[in-house]
Amino acid sequence: MESGISYQRFPKIKIRSMRDDYMKFELRDTDPSMANALRRIMISEVPTIAIDLVEIEVNSTVLNDEFIAHRLGLIPLVSDRAMEMRFSRDCDACDGDGQCAYCSVEFQLSVRCDEDQTVDITSADLISSDLMVVPVDVALAAARSEGFDSAENKGIIIVKLQRGQELRLRAIARKGIGKDHAKWSPAATVTYMYEPDIHINEDMMESLTLEEKQDWIESSPTKVFDIDPTTQQVKVYDAEAYTYDDEVIKKAEAMGKPGLVEITAREDSFIFTVESTGAVKASQIVINAIEVLKQKLDAVRLSEDTVEADDQFGELGAHMRGG
């Protein structure tokens, strides 16, 4: 590479819509490698908190211990403080035991059915030692000042009890990432698409009749094009509705009009859609993913500096690093 040449880019993000559980934004002035890295980190490397250890004292329900432990692990927990918590394997306060306030949160559950009516054990029955780390549906109900009395909103069902049955347990929630287990993934789905660049050959389009224009437009399975009612000209109605199916291109060729439309994917512009499980807000997933990506790039930079030091000092540099 010639000296003085820089390939540095300055990516930009433009938010289109944003809710607590959903976000749509544009990522521009970058390349597919960066877009894909950001997507993969959002899915598998943004940390959350999930139940990881279950100690069951009494279980006379119809479900066995392992089944209940698995269901508990999949209940999304509010994970706003996950980034500041320690991984249990790295916690020096409890020697990696994973049962201290710095790296874990304790839950208690104790329910017994003494009535003839079936009792539902739900996420609302989990009592947390940290009021900031509770099941997502419990937090939402508290924010709306709602209870779990209605049939539509009674929490995530863990198991049902009949008369005489009981469930009593202790659960430990820990920080983790989706790469280790899907229960720690903060995202229900993260997708991106290349922004389409559509150019219509106006001269060729004018040679078509109104019926032919309508027939060509309807060949697309999604509404990408439309006819202007005033000018009777074909216009791009919604470029992002295009699914790269090539149907309009094939239809133009079948009509004897190859080149009627040219559609290319812009390789420096991406449209992201992020849906959260509720453990972390969708916007915070993006912010945390960028922070994790920066940490990874810093690690690569440090590694390159270490290699350069080894090249300069030979065996002495490797020996100083313990190699």
Side-chain angles (χ1 to χ4, degrees):
M1 182 176 69
E2 297 181 14
S3 60
I5 297 179
S6 174
Y7 294 95
Q8 185 177 9
R9 292 192 178 194
F10 299 92
K12 300 180 182 65
I13 287 179
K14 179 182 178 182
I15 299 173
R16 292 192 175 183
S17 61
M18 183 171 62
R19 302 192 303 269
D20 284 351
D21 61 346
Y22 175 86
M23 182 174 177
K24 188 172 186 179
F25 65 92
E26 300 172 11
L27 177 64
R28 296 181 178 276
D29 300 335
T30 187
D31 53 51
S33 65
M34 184 63 69
N36 193 49
L38 187 62
R39 174 183 176 272
R40 293 172 68 93
I41 290 173
M42 282 192 275
I43 293 173
S44 63
E45 296 195 53
V46 170
T48 63
I49 304 168
I51 291 175
D52 192 41
L53 174 66
V54 180
E55 297 175 353
I56 295 181
E57 299 176 25
V58 178
N59 178 19
S60 56
T61 70
V62 295
L63 299 182
N64 57 42
D65 294 356
E66 292 81 4
F67 206 118
I68 290 174
H70 181 259
R71 290 179 66 82
L72 289 169
L74 294 176
I75 294 175
L77 305 176
V78 176
S79 303
D80 293 339
R81 56 181 289 250
M83 290 291 283
E84 65 189 47
M85 284 180 64
R86 302 173 185 174
F87 286 103
S88 58
R89 60 179 177 269
D90 301 328
C91 184
D92 53 8
C94 61
D95 296 326
D97 187 38
Q99 298 190 38
C100 72
Y102 295 102
C103 66
S104 65
V105 177
E106 182 176 325
F107 288 86
Q108 298 283 347
L109 187 149
S110 180
V111 181
R112 177 180 174 83
C113 179
D114 293 318
E115 304 173 356
D116 293 332
Q117 186 176 1
T118 300
V119 173
D120 294 339
I121 298 181
T122 71
S123 52
D125 295 309
L126 286 168
I127 309 302
S128 174
S129 62
D130 186 339
L131 296 179
M132 291 184 63
V133 182
V134 296
V136 168
D137 55 306
V138 174
L140 289 174
R144 298 170 183 166
S145 299
E146 297 177 357
F148 288 91
D149 299 330
S150 65
E152 297 81 12
N153 187 19
K154 56 183 179 180
I156 300 172
I157 295 180
I158 300 170
V159 66
K160 295 175 181 285
L161 299 184
Q162 291 185 339
R163 186 179 184 88
Q165 293 181 336
E166 182 181 5
L167 180 63
R168 187 164 68 248
L169 58 84
R170 170 177 174 264
I172 302 296
R174 296 169 177 157
K175 175 181 177 177
I177 58 176
K179 184 183 288 187
D180 296 330
H181 194 288
K183 67 184 178 183
W184 278 301
S185 178
T189 181
V190 179
T191 63
Y192 73 82
M193 64 172 287
Y194 293 93
E195 184 175 357
D197 197 5
I198 302 175
H199 296 282
I200 299 174
N201 188 321
E202 299 291 349
D203 294 335
M204 195 174 294
M205 186 64 72
E206 285 302 313
S207 66
L208 299 179
T209 64
L210 183 60
E211 291 74 14
E212 289 175 327
K213 291 178 181 178
Q214 191 65 44
D215 189 33
W216 179 78
I217 289 172
E218 292 175 354
S219 68
S220 174
T222 54
K223 191 172 182 179
V224 181
F225 305 94
D226 200 2
I227 295 178
D228 189 307
T230 305
T231 63
Q232 303 296 307
Q233 292 182 338
V234 175
K235 62 179 182 179
V236 178
Y237 178 79
D238 184 4
E240 292 173 21
Y242 185 66
T243 57
Y244 295 96
D245 47 62
D246 290 344
E247 289 298 325
V248 290
I249 296 175
K250 294 175 183 176
K251 180 64 175 178
E253 293 175 350
M255 296 170 65
K257 301 289 184 179
L260 181 64
V261 65
E262 182 180 345
I263 305 176
T264 57
R266 295 184 56 184
E267 296 196 355
D268 65 344
S269 182
F270 311 89
I271 302 167
F272 273 80
T273 300
V274 180
E275 295 182 22
S276 170
T277 62
V280 182
K281 292 181 180 179
S283 58
Q284 196 62 45
I285 292 176
V286 178
I287 293 171
N288 291 354
I290 293 172
E291 182 62 31
V292 172
L293 182 57
K294 287 169 61 179
Q295 293 173 5
K296 287 178 170 290
L297 294 175
D298 287 342
V300 171
R301 190 179 299 112
L302 179 61
S303 176
E304 290 178 348
D305 292 343
T306 304
V307 171
E308 291 178 3
D310 287 349
D311 292 341
Q312 183 176 359
F313 297 105
E315 295 182 1
L316 177 60
H319 176 72
M320 292 176 66
R321 291 190 294 108

